[in-house]
Amino acid sequence: MAGFIAQVKSYPRTFWTANTLELFERWAYYGIFNLLALYLTNSPETGALGFSQVEKGMIMGIVNAILYFLPVITGSIADKFGYKKVLIIAFVILSTGYYVMGLVTTFTMVFITFFYVAIGAALFKPIVSATIAKTTNESNASLGFGIFYMIINVGGLIGPVLASELRESNWNYIFIMSAGAILVNMAIVLIFFREPERRENRDPLLKSIGEVFRNIFKTLTDIRFTIFLLIIIGSWTVFWQYFYSLPVFIDQWTDTHSMYEFLYKISPGLANAIGTGSGVILAEKFIAMDAFFIVVLQVILSTLISRIRPLHSMIAGILVNTLGLTFAVITRNPFILLFSILAFSLGEMAFSPKILEYIGRIAPHDKSAVYMGTQFLPIAAGNFIGGYISGGVYDRLADKIEMMRKVIPGQLSPSLTSEQVTRMAMNVTHLDNKGLTSMLWKEFHPYRFSFVLLGMGLFTVVLLLIYDRYLRKQGA
C-alpha cells in the first residue's frame, strides 16, 4: 500500500490535469456516441432524426474512421504549435460542434457537423496520450496508464447515464450537456494546464506530416506486422457493432419490461432510477454497462492475464468478445443480454490493451513510437467496414421497421416515420406492439444478424491462430 501511495504522489500536476481533461472529453463524447445510433434512427415524433439504418451506418462509420485516422496527422500539429494552443482549438471545435449537432436535422448537415466534431476529437486524442506518457516514467508508467484507462471508462459511464436521463425530456439536452462538459475542459486548460517538456519541432508542418507518412509506409513494409494489422481489422469491425447496431437492436427487439419488473420487486426506487416512467429500461443503459464492467473489473482481469502472452490473450479476448456480442443479438431476453454484455466487456479487456503490448514487443527498439502509431489504422478500417455492416447488412437482416413494411400491403411512402409504420402494421395485423414484435421475430428471424458477427469474429480468431503458429516473432 505504501508503494502504491508513493507512486500516486509521484505524478506531477499535469498528469492529473490530463486525466481530468480525458474524463470530461469522454463524458461529452460517449454521452452522445452511446445514443447516436438511436438518435439518428428513431422516429422524428420522439425528437430524433428518423434516418435509415444505411444513413446511420454511413455517418457513424465514415466519420469515426476519419476520427481514428486523423491522429496520425494531428500529433504533428500538436508538436509543431504546442499542446496548450491545440487543446484550446480542439475544445472550441468540440463545444461548438456538439451544440450545433443538436440543431441540424438533415443528413448532409449532420454528417458535416459530426465530421467537424471528429476534427476536434482528433486534435485532442494524441495530446492527452502524449501528456500521460511524458509525465510518467519507467517506475510508475504501468499504474499511470492504468489510471488513465480507468478514467476513460468513468467518463464513458457518466456521460451516457446522464444523457439517458436527459433524452427523456429532450434529445437536444444531450448535446448541450456535452458542449458544457467541453467548456469545463476549456477552463481547466486555461487555468491549470502546463505544457509538458517536449522536443520543439522547427520543421515546416507539411514536412513533418510527410515524415509521418513516410515512417508509416516504412513500417508497413514489415510484411509480418502488416498482416497482423490486417487481421485485427476483423476484431475492431465486430467490436464497433456494440455501439453501431446493438443499441438499435435492443431498442427494437428486447423486452426490457421484464427486467424492470424484476428490479421493482427488489427495490421500487432502484427500478425507477434505472427505468422509465413507462416501465422499461432504455437501450443506452445496457450499452453503458460495458464501461461499468471495465471500471470495476479491469484491474483484476489485467492482473490475472498479466503473465499470458499478448497474442494468446488477444485470441481469447476476441473470441469471448465476439461470443458476447453474438448472444446479445440472438436473444430478446434482457437478463441474457446483460450477461452477454459482461462477456463482451471481459473480452474487450483481454484483447484491447494487449494489442498495444504486443506491438510494443515486436517493434524494433528504435521504431517503437512509429509502430505504436499504426494501431489507429485497423481501428479506422474497422469503423469504416462496421458502418456498412450496421447500415446495409443490419437493414436487410434485422431492421424491425423494414420488416413491418413487408407485412403492410401496397407501396409505402419512404417519408413515413417509424411511428407511422408501426401503427399501420399494428392495424393490419390486429396485434399490439408486443405481439407484433413477437410475430416479426418468428417470421423474419432478425437474429440472423448475429451470424454475421459470429462469422467475422471466428474468422479473425482462426487467422490469428495461424499467425501465431507460423508468423509471430519468437518470444512475442
Side-chain angles (χ1 to χ4, degrees):
M1 178 61 74
F4 174 79
I5 295 173
Q7 278 198 336
V8 170
K9 289 183 176 179
S10 70
Y11 301 117
R13 185 175 74 172
T14 302
F15 170 85
W16 298 109
T17 303
N19 274 284
T20 306
L21 294 175
E22 182 71 13
L23 172 66
F24 281 100
E25 194 275 336
R26 293 291 86 183
W27 176 331
Y29 181 78
Y30 280 110
I32 290 175
F33 189 70
N34 275 27
L35 288 79
L36 186 57
L38 298 172
Y39 177 66
L40 294 175
T41 58
N42 278 11
S43 175
E45 294 173 30
T46 67
L49 298 182
F51 293 166
S52 69
Q53 300 299 332
V54 174
E55 290 171 322
K56 174 259 296 181
M58 289 178 65
I59 291 172
M60 296 185 72
I62 295 174
V63 174
N64 273 286
I66 294 170
L67 190 159
Y68 276 94
F69 177 76
L70 282 179
V72 172
I73 300 172
T74 55
S76 297
I77 295 174
D79 288 336
K80 176 68 177 177
F81 297 105
Y83 290 0
K84 190 167 186 175
K85 291 179 183 177
V86 176
L87 280 174
I88 291 171
I89 294 170
F91 293 148
V92 169
I93 293 172
L94 286 171
S95 59
T96 55
Y98 285 142
Y99 181 75
V100 173
M101 270 190 77
L103 303 178
V104 295
T105 57
T106 65
F107 172 84
T108 301
M109 288 307 301
V110 171
F111 187 97
I112 291 172
T113 308
F114 192 34
F115 175 73
Y116 174 71
V117 166
I119 294 173
L123 286 169
F124 171 82
K125 190 178 287 289
I127 293 176
V128 69
S129 300
T131 301
I132 297 297
K134 291 176 184 295
T135 53
T136 56
N137 53 49
E138 195 170 319
S139 65
N140 63 16
S142 180
L143 177 62
F145 276 97
I147 292 171
F148 178 63
Y149 193 68
M150 183 186 73
I151 289 294
I152 291 172
N153 286 283
V154 170
L157 176 62
I158 294 174
V161 170
L162 289 179
S164 181
E165 298 299 322
L166 291 171
R167 75 110 149 175
E168 290 189 62
S169 300
N170 191 314
W171 279 100
N172 286 349
Y173 291 165
I174 299 173
F175 300 96
I176 295 171
M177 176 200 74
S178 292
I182 297 300
L183 290 178
V184 172
N185 266 356
M186 181 74 79
I188 292 172
V189 166
L190 292 173
I191 298 171
F192 298 107
F193 188 80
R194 297 292 179 269
E195 194 89 16
E197 289 186 13
R198 61 184 178 84
R199 183 182 66 84
E200 187 175 353
N201 186 353
R202 298 183 180 275
D203 294 333
L205 180 58
L206 290 179
K207 181 179 178 181
S208 298
I209 293 174
E211 185 65 25
V212 168
F213 282 108
R214 281 191 292 272
N215 287 335
I216 290 175
F217 179 78
K218 289 178 182 177
T219 301
L220 296 180
T221 59
D222 181 343
I223 301 300
R224 180 161 43 187
F225 180 59
T226 300
I227 291 173
F228 169 75
L229 293 178
L230 289 171
I231 291 173
I232 62 171
I233 289 173
S235 66
W236 288 118
T237 302
V238 174
F239 171 84
W240 286 109
Q241 296 311 301
Y242 183 83
F243 299 99
Y244 289 14
S245 299
L246 186 58
V248 178
F249 189 90
I250 296 171
D251 188 61
Q252 291 186 337
W253 298 107
T254 307
D255 179 15
T256 62
H257 181 68
S258 59
M259 180 172 282
Y260 177 90
E261 288 184 329
F262 174 79
L263 293 174
Y264 192 87
K265 291 176 183 177
I266 298 173
S267 170
L270 175 63
N272 291 328
I274 295 175
T276 68
S278 57
V280 297
I281 300 173
L282 296 175
E284 61 267 20
K285 291 285 179 61
F286 285 93
I287 299 301
M289 291 305 296
D290 175 51
F292 173 77
F293 289 138
I294 291 174
V295 170
V296 173
L297 298 174
Q298 179 68 65
V299 174
I300 298 171
L301 187 68
S302 294
T303 303
L304 292 175
I305 65 175
S306 61
R307 296 186 179 181
I308 300 176
R309 285 206 295 112
L311 203 54
H312 287 174
S313 179
M314 270 188 277
I315 292 169
I318 292 168
L319 178 61
V320 174
N321 185 260
T322 298
L323 291 175
L325 190 57
T326 298
F327 279 103
V329 185
I330 211 168
T331 179
R332 297 180 59 210
N333 186 306
F335 297 95
I336 297 176
L337 170 65
L338 187 60
F339 283 107
S340 299
I341 291 173
L342 173 60
F344 176 90
S345 302
L346 291 171
E348 177 187 351
M349 288 181 268
F351 91 82
S352 182
K354 288 291 184 177
I355 291 176
L356 274 177
E357 182 180 338
Y358 178 74
I359 293 174
R361 287 194 184 190
I362 65 175
H365 182 70
D366 60 336
K367 298 179 180 177
S368 179
V370 178
Y371 271 65
M372 288 290 189
T374 62
Q375 63 153 320
F376 289 117
L377 298 179
I379 300 176
N383 271 284
F384 185 81
I385 299 170
Y388 169 74
I389 291 175
S390 75
V393 177
Y394 185 92
D395 183 72
R396 289 192 295 272
L397 296 181
D399 184 36
K400 184 180 175 183
I401 306 304
E402 287 304 308
M403 293 174 184
M404 283 192 287
R405 288 176 176 273
K406 292 177 182 178
V407 303
I408 302 171
Q411 187 72 28
L412 298 185
S413 168
S415 64
L416 288 174
T417 68
S418 57
E419 292 285 333
Q420 291 170 329
V421 173
T422 300
R423 288 193 291 268
M424 292 176 67
M426 290 167 62
N427 289 333
V428 168
T429 60
H430 305 292
L431 295 169
D432 61 12
N433 197 19
K434 185 176 181 180
L436 176 63
T437 302
S438 297
M439 185 273 287
L440 293 171
W441 181 270
K442 295 174 183 176
E443 179 91 12
F444 295 102
H445 316 299
Y447 52 82
R448 291 180 300 161
F449 182 69
S450 67
F451 303 156
V452 176
L453 307 180
L454 181 62
M456 289 195 66
L458 291 181
F459 185 60
T460 302
V461 168
V462 170
L463 290 178
L464 277 176
L465 287 169
I466 296 171
Y467 177 89
D468 181 44
R469 176 70 176 83
Y470 295 105
L471 292 175
R472 73 173 175 86
K473 288 186 177 181
Q474 195 67 30

